[in-house]
Amino acid sequence: MSTFPDHLDVEAVRADFPILTRTMRNGNPLVYLDSGATSQKPVQVLDAERSFYERHNGAAHRGAHLLSEEGTEIYEGARAKVAAFIGADVGEVVFTKNATEAINLVAYTMKASAGDEILITEMEHHANLVPWQQLCERTGATLRWLNVTPDGRLDLDHLDAMITGRTKLVAVTHQSNVTGTIPPVAEIARAAHDKGALVLADAAQSVPHQPVDVAALGVDFLAFSAHKMLAPYGIGVLFGRADLLEAMPPFLTGGSMIEVVRMEGSTFLPPPQRFEPGVPAVAEAAGLGAAVDYLSGLGMSAVAAHEESLTAHALDALREINGVRILGPDTTKDRGGAVAFEVEGVHPHDVGQVLDELGIAVRTGHHCAWPLHRALGVQASTRATFYVYNTHAEVDALADGIRYAQRFFGARQ
C-alpha cells in the first residue's frame, strides 16, 4: 500500500477494509460514519488474529511448549508496539478489556477518603464519570467538575481555583466523543501537578486519530480501547506511570498475576502482570499489534490531517443547511473528527433511521455523554465520526441525506 508522510492514499486504504464493499438497505453502498463508536478492521488486523489461532494458539505465560512460547512472544510483542506508539515504557502498559475497565482499574485501586476531591469535566463520557461518582460514594470524597462553554469547550477560567490541595485526581477526556473538542490536557496536567494531584486522560477518541505522547501530555494515567483504532474488541490499554503502578494493589485477582500463593495468603507479580489476571487475550493483542503497525505505516500526522480535512468539509456542508445546529466548536481548531448536530423539527433517531435507509451509518442518542448534552441544551443528537477510510464524497452524502430527512419529515421544503 502506498503511503506518504503527509497524505493518505484513501482509495488504497479503503481496499484494505472488506466491509466497505458491501451494500446496505435498498442496495445502497455503505457509508460508515460511526468510527467514534467502533472502527472497521483492515485485512491486516483480521489476518493477524486469524494467524494466531491457525498457527500459534497457546496460552501465553502458561506453558513450556512452543505454542505457549509463541503466544507469549506475540502478546508481549504487542505490548512493546503499543508502548512505542504512545511514548511509554513497556512496563507502563497494562492490557485491560477496554478503556472503561482501564479507568475502573484506577478508580477502584485509588486510596481516597472524606475531604479528598476528584475533579472531572462536564464533557466526559460516562466511562470517565460514573467510576469517579462511585469512588466518591464509597470513600466520602467530593466530586467536582469543570463546566463547558456554550460552544462546547472547557471553561478553564476557574481551573486554578477548582484544583486545590485536597484534589486527589483530575480526570479529563483528551477528545470529546460528542463535539470533538480537544481540551488542553497538558496545561491541565501542569496545573494539577502544581497542587500535587494526579491526572488521568480518557484517550479513547484521541489515540486512534492523532499523535499521542504520554510524556508530552504529562499525564499519570491514560486509557484507550483497541476496537476504536482498527483492532479487535475485548482489549484495551491503561498507561500508568511506573512508580504509581508499582504502588497500586491488584484490581482483579486470580491466575497469572500471582507471585506466591499459600492457603494463608498470596503475593503478586510486579506491574503490568499484577493487573492482568487470567489467560491473556493473545489473539486480540495480535490484532492490536497489527493495528498499531497499520496506523504507524500511514503516519499519525497524516491520519490527523486527513480527518481534519473531512471535519472542515463536514462543518462547512452542515453549516449551509437551514435548520441544522452543530454542537460544539464551529472550526477545526483543537477539534477532532466528531460532528454532532441536531435537525430542527426532526428527532435524532428519525434522522438516523432515514440515513440508515440511504446506507449511511451514524450514531444517535446521548452518546454516553448525557451531562454534556444537557449542558448544550439538547437531550440527544445525531453524530458523524470520521476515520482513515472516509472520503469527502461521503461527507457530501451525509449532507444530502440530512436534506432528504428534512423533506421526508416536512421540516423543510
Side-chain angles (χ1 to χ4, degrees), residues 86-133:
I86 61 172
D89 291 334
V90 172
E92 296 177 317
V93 171
V94 178
F95 284 140
T96 61
K97 185 170 63 179
N98 46 36
T100 299
E101 183 177 270
I103 294 169
N104 274 272
L105 191 163
V106 178
Y108 274 89
T109 58
M110 174 170 289
K111 295 178 181 178
S113 59
D116 290 333
E117 296 177 351
I118 305 295
L119 179 63
I120 61 172
T121 85
E122 205 171 23
M123 68 169 57
E124 300 307 312
H125 188 284
H126 295 165
N128 201 28
L129 164 59
V130 178
W132 307 115
Q133 291 176 333

Side-chain angles (χ1 to χ4, degrees), residues 146 154 156 159-160 163 170-175 182-195 197-202 206 210-222 334:
L146 296 166
L154 272 189
L156 298 176
L159 177 63
D160 288 337
I163 303 175
V170 178
V172 58
T173 185
H174 192 203
Q175 179 178 310
I182 301 174
V185 172
E187 175 188 338
I188 294 170
R190 286 191 295 271
H193 290 156
D194 285 346
K195 299 288 182 66
L198 299 174
V199 179
L200 178 144
D202 175 0
S206 61
Q210 60 179 277
V212 172
D213 184 282
V214 291
L217 281 179
V219 295
D220 303 291
F221 300 101
L222 182 136
D334 297 325

